Amino acid sequence: MRTRIALVLLALFLMASNALAKDVVFAVDATYPPMEMIDADKNIVGFGPEVVMAMGKAGGFNPILKNTAWDGIFAGLASGKYDAIASSVSITEERKQSMDFSDPYFEVKQGVIVPKGAAISSVADLAGKTVASQMGTTGYFVCKKIEGATAKSYDEIGLAVEDLYNGRIDAVIADDAVASNYALQHEQYSQKLTLAFLIAPEAPEYLGFAVNKGNKETVELINSALAAIKANGEYDKIYAKWFGPK
């Protein structure tokens, strides 16, 4: 009897703890596979969302994922529509002027997708070409720096890849995990496209969770939870699921 009562009390305690857990709303532009995307059941999935959900479990908070278009995602953060952005946001000095970041959770390089057989194997080969990426991303910033190339921006990276597939542009630049997904793993695009090369970065590029400037409470909550899933091995399990063992 005492054992049964103890189990009931434990269950009630856990239910109460879950009910009192802090909601943390994360904006996600779910158009960036395999990092963030929508599955067949209309759920937000991917490496990033799975990391966030694991962080919530480890950190004792309730993550709420809110699908948000990239073109308004930073303005929404500034206006308080959500607590953080979990959408493959690269930590840059410029962005740190207007927002704060968690500790890094993923390292990226910029990958260049081209049609199979194209004579493009280096940045120099992109001179005279139309090179595209998603607007406001570090991939697009790279496009604009390529000497002699015409930079073109798209609302979503998938739209750029579609135009590349149909011969309307010459190359697409995106985070390497995303570029690899479209060029090497996508059933349709991989038939005509390939990942030509990775661009050597001037400095390491890391993704972080963005929060409003001065929101130390949320940064500390996220950092603590991120550290916990790295320590208990959950982060490595999620990484291996999406990208293979490190």
Side-chain angles (χ1 to χ4, degrees):
M1 178 63 73
R2 289 181 179 178
T3 300
R4 182 178 297 178
I5 292 173
L7 290 173
V8 170
L9 290 174
L10 177 60
L12 290 172
F13 172 77
L14 292 174
M15 290 173 62
S17 297
N18 289 335
L20 294 173
K22 174 183 174 65
D23 287 345
V24 181
V25 181
F26 290 83
V28 180
D29 175 21
T31 63
Y32 212 59
M35 301 301 288
E36 303 93 20
M37 56 191 178
I38 300 292
D39 68 8
D41 297 319
K42 307 301 182 183
N43 297 312
I44 299 175
V45 298
F47 173 76
E50 197 160 333
V51 166
V52 169
M53 300 311 292
M55 285 166 45
K57 184 177 180 180
F61 62 88
N62 179 36
I64 298 173
L65 304 179
K66 183 176 182 179
N67 199 6
T68 306
W70 180 259
D71 63 355
I73 205 166
F74 295 114
L77 178 67
S79 64
K81 291 182 178 179
Y82 26 83
D83 301 297
I85 301 174
S87 200
S88 296
V89 181
S90 294
I91 302 170
T92 68
E93 291 303 317
E94 182 179 358
R95 286 173 177 160
K96 285 195 289 186
Q97 300 302 310
S98 58
M99 63 193 78
D100 287 336
F101 283 93
S102 70
D103 294 332
Y105 69 91
F106 196 78
E107 183 176 3
V108 299
K109 294 180 180 178
Q110 295 304 309
V112 181
I113 310 171
V114 301
K116 289 182 177 179
I120 298 174
S121 59
S122 69
V123 172
D125 294 332
L126 294 172
K129 308 294 186 184
T130 298
V131 186
S133 190
Q134 186 172 9
M135 63 179 182
T137 63
T138 49
Y140 183 61
F141 301 154
V142 169
C143 289
K144 293 196 295 182
K145 290 181 179 179
I146 298 174
E147 187 174 352
T150 299
K152 185 173 183 179
S153 65
Y154 289 79
D155 289 341
E156 298 176 9
I157 195 66
L159 298 176
V161 176
E162 180 72 13
D163 268 6
L164 178 63
Y165 180 82
N166 289 313
R168 300 187 184 101
I169 56 178
D170 301 299
V172 169
I173 297 179
D175 291 354
D176 50 352
V178 177
S180 177
N181 180 269
Y182 275 113
L184 305 179
Q185 300 168 31
H186 191 281
E187 183 177 358
Q188 175 186 353
Y189 297 137
S190 62
Q191 296 177 24
K192 292 176 60 175
L193 306 178
T194 189
L195 180 62
F197 61 96
L198 300 180
I199 298 176
E202 296 176 358
E205 181 178 353
Y206 297 101
L207 307 183
F209 301 106
V211 303
N212 267 329
K213 197 74 176 173
N215 188 351
K216 293 182 179 180
E217 179 183 356
T218 300
V219 170
E220 290 173 358
L221 182 67
I222 290 173
N223 282 344
S224 176
L226 180 59
I229 66 169
K230 287 185 175 182
N232 67 17
E234 189 62 25
Y235 177 92
D236 288 341
K237 290 179 182 178
I238 297 170
Y239 186 99
K241 172 184 174 180
W242 290 97
F243 308 112
K246 285 187 175 182

